[in-house]
Amino acid sequence: MSKSNQEVMGDGVMGVGENTRIFPDVEACIDCGGCVVACKRTWDVPRDEQRISISTMLEGQEGEGGLNASSGRAMEQGTSPGETSIPMQCYHCDNAPCVSVCPTDSLVSMEDGFVNVRDSLCIGCQYCLSACPFGAPQFPDSDEGVADIVGSGGTMDKCTMCDERQEVGKGPACAEECSTDAILVGDATQIADELERRDSGVFFNDVAMEIIFGDDAEAF
Ligand code: SF4
Ligand code: SF4
């Protein structure tokens, strides 16, 4: 293992508790699924639901001026377009679109910076699913709560940031399990500094970064 790879190991969880953020280092993710398994095991997440999933996409090939990336063109030319894997979960956005659209205030931004779902208020309208840029809201079948009476029958579920683990000083299960420390946990400055130390890029565009980090997006 090279020195740089050794340096990446063991630095994923840099802090826990209030104002902790969670963010992917897409250059470290190896698409192994360890985070998905850790989350399911820790929280008994049902088989057909995922609080975290890995999105893998072909990178394509740069066109003129860096535009018009095309994976098809790369393959036509007999080269591998490469791929990027992104651990996708609720990033507990500072400007959370889901909180804005929820008609029953089931979704709330908590003082500690986490976005919580109040199950008893969710009517299963799925507005939050349309609003979330990261596909975080899940709708497992449920036969209890107002969603069963009023809406589509599914109460929204998503990543909780492992708030119960953080309350006792532990990191999120997915981040602790990740063998390459591709899930970073800490405040915005710690995450930005760690990405810079690793020479890893930020995957999301400026608009997404402002949704996730608000004013703290300036740290990146
Ligand atoms: S599905 Fe539930 S949490 Fe989502 S917007 Fe509707 S009421 Fe709010
Ligand atoms: S922070 Fe916890 S709940 Fe969220 S994806 Fe990771 S393991 Fe699952």
Side-chain angles (χ1 to χ4, degrees):
M1 182 182 290
S2 72
K3 185 169 184 291
S4 60
N5 280 346
Q6 278 178 337
E7 281 174 359
V8 168
M9 307 286 284
D11 291 314
V13 179
M14 298 168 285
V16 295
E18 203 164 325
N19 295 322
T20 296
R21 315 309 306 263
I22 194 160
F23 195 71
D25 174 356
V26 298
E27 293 183 40
C29 178
I30 56 171
D31 190 18
C32 69
C35 52
V36 179
V37 174
C39 181
K40 279 184 178 286
R41 280 223 174 108
T42 304
W43 300 113
D44 276 336
V45 177
R47 186 181 298 179
D48 57 355
E49 186 202 342
Q50 291 191 345
R51 289 182 175 177
I52 184 168
S53 61
I54 311 298
S55 263
T56 298
M57 58 188 73
L58 293 176
E59 288 163 2
Q61 188 182 52
E62 274 195 11
E64 275 180 41
L67 300 175
N68 195 28
S70 165
S71 50
R73 181 146 39 91
M75 287 187 281
E76 270 174 17
Q77 292 173 358
T79 56
S80 167
E83 58 184 33
T84 295
S85 295
I86 315 145
M88 299 286 281
Q89 63 201 102
C90 173
Y91 298 121
H92 297 261
C93 302
D94 200 67
N95 294 309
C98 59
V99 174
S100 304
V101 300
C102 179
T104 62
D105 290 337
S106 169
L107 283 161
V108 281
S109 291
M110 307 297 284
E111 281 187 6
D112 57 14
F114 300 170
V115 174
N116 278 6
V117 192
R118 296 188 288 187
D119 288 357
S120 62
L121 294 178
C122 176
I123 56 172
C125 67
Q126 302 196 0
Y127 285 9
C128 50
L129 179 59
S130 300
C132 176
F134 311 110
Q138 302 281 297
F139 291 88
D141 286 339
S142 97
D143 55 6
E144 54 186 33
V146 257
D148 193 44
I149 304 165
V150 185
S152 60
T155 300
M156 199 271 253
D157 186 59
K158 67 170 188 67
C159 159
T160 62
M161 272 283 268
C162 284
D163 49 357
E164 291 171 51
R165 286 173 60 91
Q166 295 207 39
E167 278 169 17
V168 294
K170 294 181 179 173
C174 55
E176 296 278 14
E177 182 67 20
C178 179
S179 61
T180 59
D181 289 308
I183 299 175
L184 301 176
V185 182
D187 64 31
T189 306
Q190 286 173 315
I191 291 172
D193 288 351
E194 181 62 13
L195 285 173
E196 191 176 347
R197 186 185 74 79
R198 298 178 181 191
D199 200 20
S200 291
V202 169
F203 179 77
F204 299 115
N205 67 19
D206 290 348
V207 175
M209 291 300 279
E210 278 178 25
I211 289 173
I212 298 172
F213 289 101
D215 291 343
D216 289 346
E218 288 178 1
F220 293 84

